[in-house]
Amino acid sequence: MTKKTHDLKRIRTTPLDAVIIGTGAYMPERILTNDELSTMVATSNEWIESRTGIRERRIASPEQASSDLGAEAARRALANARVQADEIDMIVVATITPDMGLPNTGCLIQQKIGAHNAFCFDIEAACSGFVYALEIASQFISNGTVKTALVLGAEKISCITDWKDRSLCVLFGDGAGAAVVQARPAGTGGVIHTIMRSDGRLGDLLMLPGGGSRHPASHDTVSHGLHYMKMDGREVFKHAVTCMTSVAKDVLTACGLKVEDLKLIIPHQANMRIVKAIGDRLGGKPEQYFVNLDKYGNTSAASVIVALDEASRKNHLKKGDLVLLVAFGGGFTWCASIVEWCHG
Ligand code: ACO
């Protein structure tokens, strides 16, 4: 047997649990109501509310970028978790509206909140972004690489919205949410299991075509409106319902759970009709489905964590409760996660 010449310290030892120990959200102050939107495009409060359930949304000020919204959500999450910024090892930000190409939004938030011991990066999985990011962070935590992670969804969707396109501009809003996720001994709870799926064949149905390496920003891309989102709303609707329902069923089956075992279901906050259609297929009681899209519209990657934060602050969750997070977005991407609540 060869004699060991080193004394390797094993970092990846026992699997640990990744537990959400605090959440926070920041929604810009400016409220844009359906009535005000009706003065901007040919629409009405009645049309928007009956088709989507949305009554109003928040719009960031011209000075605010996604990192500003995210930094404020992060401060609130840290306060809620009673964690100092310098204790954070990792920041992962889900966004389709980064402040700029580089630095990444995570680094910008790191600088704003003083989390100087963290490594930081962004991920892009559209409206599925927060759940994807939560699972990425929980993998780092489970294998012992990271003790404390800050996971965010932060979006200024208003800057990629064509305010002349009535089929799109009524749906979205700005906002940010954050979760502090920390390692705990196995068996504590936290992120129990996540399933993440994608289908790039359907990417054309929801796109932001301009400004990347395919169509770099130019007078031409701007004059053709390529810096705005494009969407086939009806197709997106159908896939959102089918995919969120199936991935939710799959994660429940994988965990040996029934819908009745869940305290809350937090679906991506896109459209009340999508949430109801999922409810019809998945089952459960209406009060299990947490919805706040009436106030904020679809905030893309921020939507699930903003809703989770509100549910937590309204005391809808207590220790030991099981929560289902389920999301769908451009790509297409979709995912579902079972979280055992350990906070509060
Ligand atoms: N106000 C008034 N009329 C409108 C508006 C508006 N804001 N927008 C569209 N219309 C008109 C259309 O022009 C159309 O008129 P026509 O019949 O004369 O052609 C009519 O309303 C019906 O349009 P549809 O597209 O059939 O309306 P639908 O019932 O499908 O609702 C909606 C549209 C709300 C966009 C729906 O398809 C939807 O919610 N899709 C999902 C989109 C989504 O949530 N995307 C977010 C990103 S992905 C995600 O987060 C899941």
Side-chain angles (χ1 to χ4, degrees):
M1 214 167 86
T2 48
K3 192 171 176 299
K4 271 208 270 177
T5 55
H6 54 72
D7 186 16
L8 177 65
K9 188 174 173 223
R10 304 267 168 203
I11 304 289
R12 299 178 183 197
T13 49
T14 49
L16 296 164
D17 279 0
V19 171
I20 296 176
I21 60 164
T23 61
Y26 172 76
M27 307 309 284
E29 279 165 35
R30 160 101 166 88
I31 295 172
L32 177 61
T33 63
N34 290 349
D35 282 337
E36 192 180 346
L37 257 177
S38 311
T39 67
M40 296 159 59
V41 283
T43 190
S44 65
N45 177 47
E46 197 281 324
W47 193 96
I48 302 170
E49 217 182 311
S50 62
R51 304 279 175 137
T52 72
I54 300 166
R55 293 166 198 258
E56 57 191 41
R57 70 284 295 138
R58 300 297 177 97
I59 304 295
S61 69
E63 302 76 38
Q64 288 176 312
S66 295
S67 72
D68 300 306
L69 313 184
E72 192 46 43
R75 289 185 195 103
R76 294 175 186 189
L78 289 171
N80 187 238
R82 297 195 182 88
V83 163
Q84 301 299 316
D86 60 8
E87 294 175 59
I88 302 167
D89 305 308
M90 167 187 185
I91 300 178
V92 51
V93 182
T95 185
I96 56 168
T97 51
D99 291 26
M100 52 190 88
L102 60 97
N104 71 60
T105 317
C107 286
L108 296 170
I109 292 173
Q110 171 189 38
Q111 183 267 326
K112 287 181 206 300
I113 65 172
H116 303 303
N117 296 320
F119 68 90
C120 314
F121 61 99
D122 291 3
I123 65 141
E124 199 277 81
C127 306
S128 305
F130 176 78
V131 180
Y132 267 52
L134 181 64
E135 176 60 12
I136 292 166
S138 82
Q139 294 285 343
F140 274 90
I141 288 171
S142 288
N143 73 23
T145 312
V146 157
K147 183 179 174 217
T148 307
L150 181 64
V151 184
L152 295 108
E155 300 278 23
K156 187 179 180 183
I157 300 292
S158 58
C159 69
I160 55 165
T161 300
D162 182 352
W163 292 99
K164 293 192 180 74
D165 179 354
R166 68 176 183 173
S167 66
L168 255 165
C169 71
V170 302
L171 302 174
F172 294 94
D174 301 334
V180 180
V181 189
Q182 202 168 60
R184 289 286 185 276
T188 307
V191 180
I192 303 294
H193 185 52
T194 302
I195 298 176
M196 304 191 286
R197 300 217 161 105
S198 307
D199 189 347
R201 291 169 297 186
L202 300 168
D204 289 356
L205 297 172
L206 182 52
M207 298 181 91
L208 175 58
S213 56
R214 177 67 56 200
H215 302 292
S218 66
H219 289 296
D220 223 32
T221 59
V222 173
S223 64
H224 287 95
L226 299 188
H227 54 302
Y228 294 134
M229 277 184 294
K230 317 285 173 204
M231 180 180 71
D232 181 333
R234 279 190 187 179
E235 284 302 311
V236 170
F237 192 108
K238 282 191 275 182
H239 287 288
V241 172
T242 314
C243 294
M244 282 197 273
T245 304
S246 73
V247 76
K249 285 183 176 170
D250 288 350
V251 82
L252 285 169
T253 305
C255 294
L257 295 171
K258 298 185 291 300
V259 179
E260 303 79 80
D261 299 321
L262 301 169
K263 177 68 196 304
L264 274 190
I265 297 160
I266 305 208
H268 169 45
Q269 307 285 310
N271 181 321
M272 197 57 211
R273 282 160 61 216
I274 293 178
V275 176
K276 283 198 174 128
I278 295 169
D280 290 343
R281 289 157 179 77
L282 191 62
K285 299 192 181 101
E287 56 270 27
Q288 282 175 282
Y289 289 78
F290 189 84
V291 171
N292 65 2
L293 64 87
D294 51 319
K295 294 184 290 189
Y296 303 130
N298 181 349
T299 58
S300 182
S303 112
V304 168
I305 178 59
V306 167
L308 181 63
D309 175 65
E310 185 173 326
S312 158
R313 283 172 197 271
K314 286 186 168 164
N315 294 321
H316 288 290
L317 289 169
K318 59 178 193 330
K319 211 168 172 195
D321 284 342
L322 294 173
V323 187
L324 168 68
L325 312 178
V326 56
F328 176 91
F332 286 152
T333 58
W334 64 103
C335 48
S337 187
I338 298 286
V339 175
E340 185 178 349
W341 200 248
C342 303
H343 178 52

